[in-house]
C-alpha cells in the first residue's frame, strides 16, 4: 500500500512540475526528456535484473551447498541468542537466521553483489513463516531496516570511485563512513525495536550492542594508526579474504558431509534464476517512477528550496552541493553514484562537497530499491511501516554523514 502511494506521488508530482515548466517557462522539450528517461530506466531495470541473474545463481548455489553442509545451521546457532531477541517471531534454529546473518555480514564488508542474493534467500525463508502472504511481517520489516541502514565496515566501492576520480587519498572517507553508518544502524534498530515492542535493555541485546560498539571503536583505532595508502589495501584484503574463506568453508563442509556438491550448487542456482526473473516487473515500476521524477525537474526544485531554507537559517550551506546524492540515495543506487561522481567532477575529488557526497553514499542504502526487490521477490504488496522507518534510518545516516564530514574535513 505504501509503495502504491509513493509510486503515484512520483508520477503526479512529475506531471505537475512538467506542466508548469512547459507553460510558464516554455520548456516543451521536457516532455521528450521525461519519456526518454522512462524508456531508458525500464531498460536499465531489465539490465540490472539480467546482471543479477548470474550473481544470484552463483550465491544461491553456494548457499545451497552451505545449507546441506550444515554451515547455515551453524551460523543460525551462533547468532540465535541476539537474533532470537530481535526476531522473536522466527522459531529457534530456523535457517532464516543463518541467511540473515550472511546477508548482514556481506553488507558490513561492502560486498553488494553478495549481499543481494543472500538477502533474497532470507526474505524467501521469512515469507514461508509469514501468515499473511501479501503483508510484510515484523521480522521482514526488521530485516529490511537492517539492510537500508547498511552498516558498512569496508566501503570498497566508494573508495574505488574516489581513486578513479583522482582523489589524493581515496580512503580518507573510510572512518567518516564507518561512524555515520554505525549511527544509522543503531538508531534504525532501536526505532524498530520500540515500534515492535522489543526490549532494547534485554541483557542479550544490550550487551551485543555494547560489544558491537567496542568492535567499531577498535576498527576505528586500528585504521587511524595506518597510513592513508594502507587503509584501502588492508580493508579490501580483509573483506575479500573473509568472503572467500566462507566459500571455501561451504565446500569443505559439503565434502565432510559427503553431499553431492555439484548437484547442490545447481539446485540453488536454479532458484537464483527464478528469483531474478520474478523481480523484473517490480524493479521496472520503481526505477521508471524515479527517473520521471528526476527528469521533470522536481528533484532540482527540492534542492533549490532546501538551499534557500538552510541559508535563511544562517547555517553553513556549503554541504548543499552534496544533497543530490542524499536525496537520490534512497531512490536509486546508480543514480546516487552518478550524483557522487558528478559532485567530484564539478567541485573536485578532494573538495568538501565531494567528501560529503562520498560519505553520504557509503553511509546509507537504497531504501526504495530494497523495498521493490526484496518485497517484490516474495509478492509482498502491503509493506506497512517499512518505508517510513527505512527512510528515517536514511535521514539519520545522512545527517550523521554531514556532521561527521564537518568534523573530519573542515
Amino acid at each position: 500500500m505504501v509503495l502504491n502511494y509513493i509510486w503515484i506521488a512520483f508520477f503526479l508530482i512529475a506531471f505537475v512540475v512538467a506542466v508548469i515548466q512547459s507553460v510558464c517557462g516554455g520548456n516543451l522539450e521536457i516532455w521528450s526528456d521525461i519519456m526518454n528517461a522512462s524508456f531508458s530506466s525500464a531498460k536499465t531495470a531489465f539490465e540490472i535484473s539480467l546482471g543479477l541473474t548470474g550473481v544470484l545463481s552463483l550465491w544461491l548455489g553456494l548457499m545451497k551447498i552451505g545449507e546441506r553442509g550444515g554451515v547455515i545451521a551453524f551460523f543460525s546457532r551462533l547468532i540465535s541468542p541476539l537474533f532470537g531477541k530481535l526476531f522473536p517471531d522466527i522459531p529457534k534454529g530456523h535457517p532464516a537466521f543463518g541467511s540473515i546473518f550472511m546477508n548482514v555480514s556481506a553488507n558490513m564488508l561492502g560486498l553488494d553483489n553478495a549481499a543481494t542474493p543472500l538477502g533474497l534467500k532470507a526474505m524467501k525463508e521469512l515469507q514461508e513463516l509469514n501468515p499473511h502472504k501479501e503483508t510484510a511481517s515484523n521480522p521482514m520489516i526488521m530485516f529490511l531496516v537492517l539492510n537500508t541502514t547498511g552498516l558498512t565496515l569496508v566501503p570498497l566501492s566508494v573508495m574505488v570511485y574516489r581513486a578513479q576520480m583522482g582523489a589524493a587519498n581515496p580512503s580518507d572517507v573510510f572512518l567518516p563512513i564507518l561512524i555515520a553508518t554505525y549511527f544509522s544502524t543503531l538508531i534504525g534498530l532501536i526505532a524498530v525495536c520500540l515500534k515492535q515492542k522489543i526490549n532494547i535493555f534485554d541483557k542479550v541485546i544490550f550487551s551485543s550492542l555494547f560489544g558491537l560498539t567496542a568492535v567499531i571503536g577498535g576498527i576505528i583505532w586500528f585504521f587511524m594508526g595506518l597510513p592513508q595508502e594502507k587503509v584501502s589495501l588492508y580493508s579490501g584484503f580483509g573483506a575479500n579474504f573473509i568472503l572467500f574463506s566462507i566459500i571455501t568453508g561451504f565446500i569443505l563442509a559439503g565434502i565432510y558431509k559427503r553431499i553431492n556438491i555439484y548437484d547442490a550448487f545447481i539446485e540453488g542456482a536454479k532458484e537464483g534464476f527464478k528469483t531474478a526473473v520474478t523481480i523484473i516487473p517490480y524493479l521496472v515500476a520503481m526505477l521508471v517512477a524515479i527517473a520521471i521524477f528526476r527528469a521533470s525537474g522536481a528533484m532540482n526544485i527540492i534542492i533549490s528550496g532546501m538551499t534557500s531554507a538552510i541559508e535563511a537559517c544562517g547555517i553553513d550551506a556549503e554541504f548543499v552541493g552534496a544533497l543530490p546524492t542524499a536525496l537520490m540515495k534512497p531512490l536509486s543506487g546508480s543514480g546516487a553514484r552518478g550524483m557522487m561522481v558528478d559532485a567530484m567532477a564539478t567541485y573536485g575529488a578532494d573538495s568538501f562537497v565531494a567528501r560529503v557526497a562520498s560519505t553520504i553514499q557509503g553511509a546509507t542504502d537504497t531504501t526504495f530499491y530494497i523495498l521493490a526487490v526484496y518485497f517484490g521477490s516474495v509478492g509482498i504488496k502491503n509493506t506497512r511501516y517499512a518505508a517510513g522507518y527505512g527512510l528515517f534510518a536514511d535521514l539519520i545516516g545522512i545527517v550523521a554523514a554531514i556532521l561527521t564530514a564537518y568534523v573530519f574535513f573542515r
Side-chain angles (χ1 to χ4, degrees):
M1 187 65 69
V2 174
L3 283 179
N4 177 53
Y5 292 141
I6 292 172
W7 198 71
I8 292 172
F10 280 158
F11 277 91
L12 293 181
I13 293 173
F15 180 78
V16 171
V17 172
V19 168
I20 293 173
Q21 290 201 53
S22 60
V23 173
C24 300
N27 183 10
L28 300 181
E29 294 181 354
I30 192 170
W31 299 102
S32 175
D33 294 339
I34 289 174
M35 293 310 302
N36 288 338
S38 67
F39 296 141
S40 176
S41 60
K43 179 182 177 182
T44 300
F46 178 76
E47 290 173 347
I48 290 174
S49 299
L50 192 63
L52 278 175
T53 303
V55 177
L56 283 168
S57 297
L58 169 65
W59 283 100
L60 291 188
L62 291 170
M63 284 289 287
K64 183 62 71 174
I65 296 173
E67 181 181 321
R68 292 189 178 178
V71 180
I72 302 302
F74 169 76
F75 283 131
S76 296
R77 292 191 298 270
L78 184 68
I79 50 82
S80 61
L82 172 60
F83 278 21
K85 299 292 184 180
L86 296 178
F87 299 90
D89 295 336
I90 301 178
K92 185 178 180 180
H94 194 276
F97 283 129
S99 299
I100 292 172
F101 175 80
M102 295 294 293
N103 169 262
V104 172
S105 298
N107 274 324
M108 292 173 70
L109 295 173
L111 304 167
D112 297 337
N113 288 340
T116 299
L118 296 173
L120 292 173
K121 173 71 171 176
M123 190 62 73
K124 180 180 178 181
E125 290 168 345
L126 292 176
Q127 178 70 336
E128 293 174 358
L129 299 171
N130 186 8
H132 308 289
K133 298 304 182 184
E134 293 189 354
T135 301
S137 64
N138 282 351
M140 286 179 171
I141 295 174
M142 174 66 80
F143 177 57
L144 180 125
V145 172
L146 286 177
N147 268 270
T148 59
T149 56
L151 177 60
T152 305
L153 301 182
V154 187
L156 282 176
S157 61
V158 175
M159 292 190 289
V160 168
Y161 277 109
R162 287 185 55 74
Q164 291 175 340
M165 294 301 293
N169 295 309
S171 59
D172 58 5
V173 296
F174 173 79
L175 292 179
I177 288 175
L178 179 59
I179 294 170
T181 191
Y182 170 68
F183 278 106
S184 173
T185 300
L186 182 64
I187 300 301
L189 180 63
I190 292 174
V192 178
C193 283
L194 293 175
K195 175 67 175 179
Q196 297 184 359
K197 295 181 172 57
I198 297 172
N199 181 17
I200 59 175
F201 294 106
D202 176 90
K203 63 180 182 180
V204 174
I205 296 177
F206 187 81
S207 60
S208 298
L209 293 179
F210 180 81
L212 178 61
T213 301
V215 170
I216 297 295
I219 293 173
I220 292 173
W221 175 82
F222 173 75
F223 280 100
M224 285 188 72
L226 291 177
Q228 284 289 343
E229 63 272 12
K230 296 291 186 181
V231 172
S232 179
L233 175 65
Y234 281 27
S235 59
F237 163 77
N240 291 299
F241 175 78
I242 291 172
L243 180 64
F244 195 71
S245 296
I246 291 173
I247 295 173
T248 304
F250 281 1
I251 294 174
L252 291 176
I255 294 173
Y256 177 77
K257 290 284 188 176
R258 296 183 178 180
I259 66 170
N260 189 319
I261 296 176
Y262 183 78
D263 285 349
F265 178 86
I266 295 300
E267 182 180 341
K270 288 179 180 178
E271 294 179 9
F273 180 81
K274 292 177 182 177
T275 301
V277 172
T278 301
I279 67 175
I280 291 175
Y282 296 92
L283 201 54
V284 169
M286 186 54 64
L287 292 190
V288 167
I290 292 169
I292 289 175
F293 187 79
R294 183 171 67 247
S296 70
M299 181 68 74
N300 292 334
I301 293 174
I302 293 174
I303 292 292
S304 299
M306 295 182 71
T307 302
S308 300
I310 291 170
E311 291 177 344
C313 295
I315 300 174
D316 181 7
E318 188 175 353
F319 70 90
V320 172
L323 286 184
T325 302
L327 294 176
M328 187 57 64
K329 184 65 179 185
L331 305 175
S332 168
S334 59
R337 283 194 296 272
M339 295 294 186
M340 177 186 67
V341 171
D342 180 69
M344 286 190 278
T346 302
Y347 300 96
D350 291 320
S351 66
F352 178 69
V353 170
R355 284 167 166 164
V356 174
S358 299
T359 305
I360 291 171
Q361 174 72 12
T364 59
D365 214 326
T366 49
T367 297
F368 288 113
Y369 172 85
I370 292 174
L371 279 168
V373 172
Y374 280 32
F375 284 146
S377 68
V378 292
I380 294 294
K381 297 179 180 179
N382 182 6
T383 62
R384 299 169 65 200
Y385 52 87
Y389 276 69
L391 291 174
F392 171 72
D394 285 339
L395 176 61
I396 296 298
I398 290 168
V399 172
I402 294 172
L403 294 177
T404 306
Y406 269 93
V407 172
F408 277 80
F409 306 124
R410 293 295 288 172

